[in-house]
């Protein structure tokens, strides 16, 4: 969960910065390719993904689970961060360049601190999705010693029946961290998802 969240935050922030603040040939096409990933859920692509992981020798490895989760969480989070990065005034970047700050310095010292609500939002959403993911670990992991908590419910299921009381208790206990985390991160999620839109509305009203 933590590895997936860290990779998603790093890769999405870099990609969103490139699509929002830099100009290069084929920018629109590359961005459209990323957004197309939102049209293909993991349920549709799970079979070819498993074949690729088996060819790479990443089955029964948590690394394979992390790679798959990161790959399918990039598109939506890049769209969220790109909108936030694009809403930051260009004059701020020009002022930083005049003061001697390069592109990397502007991204690290100015843009990322301003984008803290959006980064917190995608980090919170990624942690919740990764924690509750059942399909990817179920397909990639065969050894019960590597099972995640959602897969732990399989331990209470036998060939001829299952203990529903233990399953319900286990599901309740496994859901507690997610509920508690969302309770504390709800404000960051809402503010991060609406920050870019509020900035756009403010700028449009000022221009009028």
């Amino acid at each position: 969960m933590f590895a997936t969240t860290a990779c998603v935050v790093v890769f999405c922030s870099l990609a969103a910065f490139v699509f929002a603040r830099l100009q290069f040939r084929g920018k629109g096409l590359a961005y459209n390719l990323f957004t197309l990933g939102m049209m293909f859920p993991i349920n549709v692509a799970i079979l070819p993904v498993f074949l690729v992981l088996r060819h790479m020798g990443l089955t029964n490895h948590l690394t394979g689970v992390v790679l798959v989760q990161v790959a399918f969480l990039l598109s939506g989070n890049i769209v969220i961060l790109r909108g936030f990065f694009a809403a930051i005034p260009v004059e701020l970047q020009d002022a930083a360049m005049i003061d001697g700050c390069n592109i990397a310095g502007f991204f690290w010292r100015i843009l990322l601190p301003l984008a803290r609500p959006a980064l917190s939002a995608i980090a919170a959403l990624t942690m919740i999705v990764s924690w509750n993911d059942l399909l990817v670990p179920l397909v990639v992991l065969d050894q019960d010693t590597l099972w995640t908590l959602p897969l732990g419910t399989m331990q209470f299921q036998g060939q001829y029946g299952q203990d529903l009381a233990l399953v319900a208790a286990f599901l309740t206990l496994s859901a507690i961290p997610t509920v508690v985390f969302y309770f504390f991160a709800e404000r960051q999620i809402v503010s991060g998802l609406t920050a870019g839109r509020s900035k756009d509305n403010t700028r449009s009203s000022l221009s009028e």
Side-chain angles (χ1 to χ4, degrees):
M1 178 180 66
F2 295 105
T4 301
T5 303
C7 292
V8 167
V9 171
V10 172
F11 294 148
C12 288
S13 59
L14 292 173
F17 174 73
V18 171
F19 290 130
R21 313 299 298 192
L22 302 182
Q23 299 296 330
F24 57 91
R25 181 177 299 178
K27 172 182 174 180
L29 178 61
Y31 180 71
N32 290 333
L33 289 177
F34 271 99
T35 56
L36 284 176
M38 301 174 63
M39 300 177 58
F40 299 96
I42 183 61
N43 307 55
V44 177
I46 191 62
L47 179 58
V49 165
F50 172 75
L51 296 177
V52 172
L53 291 178
R54 187 176 64 177
H55 180 72
M56 297 173 62
L58 292 178
T59 54
N60 284 325
H61 287 279
L62 295 177
T63 305
V65 177
V66 172
L67 289 178
V68 176
Q69 290 181 345
V70 170
F72 281 88
L73 289 172
L74 286 179
S75 300
N77 292 320
I78 288 176
V79 172
I80 295 174
L81 281 182
R82 179 183 178 273
F84 188 91
F85 288 169
I88 295 177
V90 181
E91 294 78 9
L92 186 61
Q93 182 176 354
D94 295 337
M97 297 300 177
I98 293 175
D99 290 338
C101 188
N102 55 17
I103 294 294
F106 172 75
F107 171 74
W108 180 256
R109 299 177 182 178
I110 299 176
L111 198 63
L112 286 185
L114 291 176
R116 188 176 301 173
L119 294 175
S120 301
I122 68 170
L125 293 175
T126 301
M127 291 183 68
I128 294 174
V129 172
S130 178
W131 179 273
N132 293 325
D133 189 15
L134 174 65
L135 180 60
V136 175
L138 178 63
V139 174
V140 177
L141 304 177
D142 291 335
Q143 300 178 2
D144 54 358
T145 56
L146 297 176
W147 281 355
T148 58
L149 279 178
L151 288 181
T153 56
M154 298 177 60
Q155 297 179 357
F156 307 109
Q157 182 176 359
Q159 182 177 1
Y160 302 104
Q162 60 183 358
D163 194 332
L164 295 179
L166 287 178
V167 171
F170 186 84
L171 289 177
T172 302
L173 291 176
S174 62
I176 289 177
T178 304
V179 174
V180 173
F181 177 78
Y182 183 81
F183 177 78
F184 288 103
E186 179 183 4
R187 181 175 300 178
Q188 293 293 334
I189 294 174
V190 174
S191 62
L193 294 178
T194 58
R197 178 174 299 179
S198 61
K199 289 178 179 291
D200 287 337
N201 293 337
T202 303
R203 294 177 63 184
S204 62
S205 61
L206 290 176
S207 61
E208 293 176 356

